[in-house]
Amino acid sequence: MVPASTLQSRLASILPQGLDIIAYHLSSSPASTTALFAPLPGQDEEPTICESHFLAISSPEKAGLKEVLVFAIEILIFSTPNLTTVFVSKADSSGFSSRLSASRGSPSVVAAVTSGFLDFLLQPRLNQSRVILSLFARSQNQYLFPGSIENPGKHVLDDRQLIKWWCRVLDRVLRLHSDTSDPPSSSSAHLLVPGCDKGETKAFFPPSSRQDPPSDPKWINSYPVELLVTDVAKPPRHLVPRFPDDPKSRFLDDLDGDFIDNQGRWRSIKSLDQFWEMMSYRQECSAGRLVGFLWLVFSQGQTTHTKLSELDQFAHVESLERLREQASLPTPGNSQAQENGDAGIWQQTSSDLSMIREVNSPPPSSPLEVPHDEGPSTESADANVNDGCASASVPGLTDEDVLQVHARRFNETWGELVLSTTQYQTLMDHLLQTDFAGEEKAAESTKSWIQKALGLTGKPGFGLPIQGEHVFSGSVGAEKADLQQVNVLTAVRKKRKAENIDERPASSQSTETTSNATVNILAAGLVRKKPKG
């Protein structure tokens, strides 16, 4: 029996009974990268570590049909001394979700996989004092599967549908961890749609938001700057994160190219409100197009969110020291080595730290440069994973090194294959060079991508077969009650709400319709005209 904590068992518990899929989860080793927030002139960048996760879902080969990838999502996780940020980079479907043969009336497979995967990555990290889940929803024809827009089964949501779909998906994740933990935690969702006022933005909120008390809303029309940065008095250039392929990141870069004075200020935009106002005039957010910027904020041990500036004073400043202390304590792995006088664990740690200083930055889906050194092989990455503890006695242990150690503590969420950054990007580039226009080409491209992954890593096999176990109730009342319990995304099998996220699931990218249920794709940037009226 697969342990309940694994991705395989988690997805099985939330997918419809009898549904068969194969899941391909791979990740890159944690690597040093450029800071998300630009530093003030003359100041050093905040040390930042990034790891990439990619999950692809396929319909297995059966009844004479070849295996075909039907959905994929890419997530980047950034770690700093103050913040952990989980960023949804890309999501897309190939137009062949109807091959999954989900039972009529069951929720969207795409929505279930998306929320389940996000919670799988989030859950072990939520014991930290501040965790952010971020994405932007922008409609686009195709993102990860070239040629897939030609497939008649692919239904691309327009901008409004897509933003609403993402809000529903993220609401499931949000309410899994809303004020139910011990010690207490606080969580909230924040949405900005440039060009829309508060009333228009509220229309995108999920239906569950109407049940929240006005004094404590879970969904808010705002950019939560005080929860993301320690000094909100900085110029706006330093208050907005720069994520990969993000419309606001391109705007930030354009403004930087115009003018930056010696205090880090632009000539044209003087405030954060003005920045968001001007975003509505950008090409991605104008001429009938809409982009939704979403943030989920999780604060462990806080009944209400504490400003990051205040949190930093008593929590985050101590976090690195705590990690250093943990690094010097015996662990199940290194205590035996110490007792036996074996220096192997320390040599391994030294090797880790040496690799840390040379490892690549995240995939060039981001605006960051990628060094060409190979980094660790899958085997070495696996071998370097213990309890995520390094020795504080290792010379030159920097804040960045400690962050590396910290990131490796969550190795239970690493992929079935762990690649170096260069290997990871090579595999992603290979996918973007395939062709999913038509079932035969899609099957050939699926096989080619899997073989490329095996060739890069030298592994004999890849892919986790999953059979859905969840039995969905036809009772609307029972399902509504279950939504309040929000056990759907855990390994606990309970009846699930039918208020389907999948009524028209839309993701960051696009969506598609199946013969049995509406399955939508996620597109981090799709362009559709705003509906008339």
Side-chain angles (χ1 to χ4, degrees):
M1 185 70 178
V2 180
S5 60
T6 67
L7 178 62
Q8 190 175 18
S9 62
R10 182 182 295 260
L11 293 183
S13 70
I14 62 178
L15 290 174
Q17 187 178 53
L19 176 72
D20 292 320
I21 64 171
I22 300 178
Y24 297 92
H25 177 204
L26 56 90
S27 60
S28 67
S29 299
S32 175
T33 188
T34 302
L36 292 178
F37 294 89
L40 290 170
Q43 293 186 2
D44 293 333
E45 283 192 348
E46 185 176 37
T48 305
I49 297 296
C50 177
E51 61 185 87
S52 303
H53 290 260
F54 186 82
L55 176 67
I57 299 298
S58 75
S59 61
E61 182 176 354
K62 60 181 179 181
L65 296 175
K66 297 179 180 179
E67 181 181 359
V68 171
L69 293 177
V70 298
F71 170 71
I73 181 170
E74 181 184 52
I75 296 172
L76 311 182
I77 301 178
F78 298 89
S79 300
T80 72
N82 293 326
L83 205 61
T84 295
T85 303
V86 178
F87 175 69
V88 181
S89 173
K90 298 180 180 71
D92 196 5
S93 75
S94 63
F96 298 106
S97 291
S98 60
R99 292 177 42 136
L100 295 177
S101 301
S103 58
R104 183 175 298 275
S106 62
S108 161
V109 172
V110 168
V113 168
T114 300
S115 55
F117 187 47
L118 284 171
D119 189 59
F120 170 75
L121 296 175
L122 271 174
Q123 196 169 50
R125 295 173 168 85
L126 291 179
N127 61 355
Q128 302 169 89
S129 51
R130 182 62 45 80
V131 178
I132 305 296
L133 171 58
S134 180
L135 64 82
F136 65 93
R138 184 190 59 187
S139 185
Q140 185 165 301
N141 288 341
Q142 54 195 29
Y143 237 74
L144 293 168
F145 298 108
S148 59
I149 190 59
E150 298 181 24
N151 299 326
K154 183 164 184 171
H155 170 59
V156 179
L157 297 182
D158 65 31
D159 303 312
R160 290 178 178 273
Q161 292 173 325
L162 187 60
I163 296 171
K164 287 182 178 180
W165 186 86
W166 266 119
C167 287
R168 287 174 178 250
V169 169
L170 295 191
D171 188 63
R172 293 241 175 161
V173 179
L174 176 74
R175 294 181 189 278
L176 271 173
H177 307 284
S178 295
D179 309 322
T180 58
S181 59
D182 185 21
S185 65
S186 182
S187 60
S188 59
H190 303 256
L191 172 66
L192 274 186
V193 183
C196 292
D197 60 26
K198 287 190 176 182
E200 292 173 306
T201 302
K202 191 174 180 180
F204 294 108
F205 291 175
S208 61
S209 65
R210 296 192 289 268
Q211 307 301 320
D212 296 329
S215 59
D216 184 26
K218 284 296 180 185
W219 282 84
I220 306 167
N221 174 213
S222 73
Y223 170 53
V225 60
E226 292 184 337
L227 307 180
L228 305 182
V229 298
T230 55
D231 183 4
V232 297
K234 291 179 180 179
R237 176 177 183 264
H238 309 281
L239 302 178
V240 181
R242 301 176 189 234
F243 289 117
D245 298 335
D246 189 339
K248 66 179 183 297
S249 298
R250 287 188 283 276
F251 188 26
L252 289 165
D253 291 341
D254 288 348
L255 290 169
D256 285 353
D258 178 35
F259 174 79
I260 307 174
D261 67 15
N262 57 10
Q263 295 183 23
R265 296 176 300 195
W266 296 312
R267 193 196 324 268
S268 54
I269 293 182
K270 304 299 184 183
S271 70
L272 200 54
D273 288 342
Q274 189 180 8
F275 172 83
W276 289 111
E277 181 183 356
M278 295 305 296
M279 266 299 304
S280 64
Y281 295 99
R282 295 283 294 177
Q283 181 179 0
E284 301 96 330
C285 307
S286 62
R289 301 166 181 167
L290 293 177
V291 177
F293 297 95
L294 294 98
W295 299 267
L296 264 58
V297 182
F298 300 93
S299 300
Q300 176 69 19
Q302 303 160 49
T303 54
T304 59
H305 292 307
T306 302
K307 294 179 181 179
L308 195 61
S309 58
E310 299 171 3
L311 194 61
D312 183 72
Q313 294 175 13
F314 61 83
H316 291 302
V317 165
E318 298 175 359
S319 63
L320 290 180
E321 293 306 318
R322 247 190 339 265
L323 285 171
R324 284 192 175 92
E325 291 173 6
Q326 292 172 357
S328 65
L329 295 175
T331 68
N334 67 26
S335 59
Q336 182 179 0
Q338 291 178 1
E339 291 172 5
N340 297 336
D342 184 357
I345 184 67
W346 308 118
Q347 293 171 357
Q348 176 178 308
T349 298
S350 297
S351 173
D352 264 356
L353 295 179
S354 174
M355 178 274 293
I356 287 168
R357 298 184 182 99
E358 299 175 358
V359 65
N360 328 14
S361 48
S365 58
S366 74
L368 315 177
E369 294 185 0
V370 180
H372 296 290
D373 50 322
E374 281 300 319
S377 65
T378 303
E379 289 77 7
S380 64
D382 291 339
N384 287 334
V385 175
N386 280 315
D387 282 285
C389 294
S391 169
S393 64
V394 177
L397 188 63
T398 65
D399 287 356
E400 188 173 301
D401 296 336
V402 176
L403 281 173
Q404 265 282 3
V405 171
H406 174 66
R408 289 170 180 270
R409 294 171 62 197
F410 304 108
N411 58 74
E412 73 271 17
T413 64
W414 286 9
E416 184 186 0
L417 299 183
V418 182
L419 296 80
S420 71
T421 306
T422 302
Q423 291 172 329
Y424 178 91
Q425 190 55 44
T426 298
L427 186 56
M428 293 302 98
D429 289 343
H430 182 80
L431 180 62
L432 296 178
Q433 293 166 4
T434 58
D435 188 352
F436 281 79
E439 196 160 348
E440 189 62 33
K441 289 182 179 178
E444 293 174 2
S445 296
T446 297
K447 182 178 180 180
S448 173
W449 182 78
I450 295 170
Q451 290 178 337
K452 184 68 174 180
L454 295 175
L456 286 170
T457 61
K459 295 291 186 179
F462 182 33
L464 299 172
I466 298 174
Q467 186 172 63
E469 302 172 350
H470 197 88
V471 179
F472 293 95
S473 168
S475 168
V476 175
E479 295 183 57
K480 285 185 177 179
D482 184 55
L483 183 65
Q484 298 303 316
Q485 297 174 20
V486 279
N487 288 315
V488 143
L489 302 181
T490 68
V492 181
R493 295 176 58 188
K494 291 198 175 184
K495 290 183 179 179
R496 170 172 181 138
K497 176 176 188 234
E499 177 222 337
N500 309 345
I501 280 185
D502 56 293
E503 287 173 354
R504 268 230 209 265
S507 82
S508 288
Q509 272 73 52
S510 60
T511 62
E512 62 181 84
T513 326
T514 71
S515 58
N516 298 316
T518 304
V519 178
N520 301 243
I521 293 185
L522 314 179
L526 301 182
V527 175
R528 283 312 255 277
K529 291 185 178 181
K530 186 187 299 183
K532 294 182 179 180

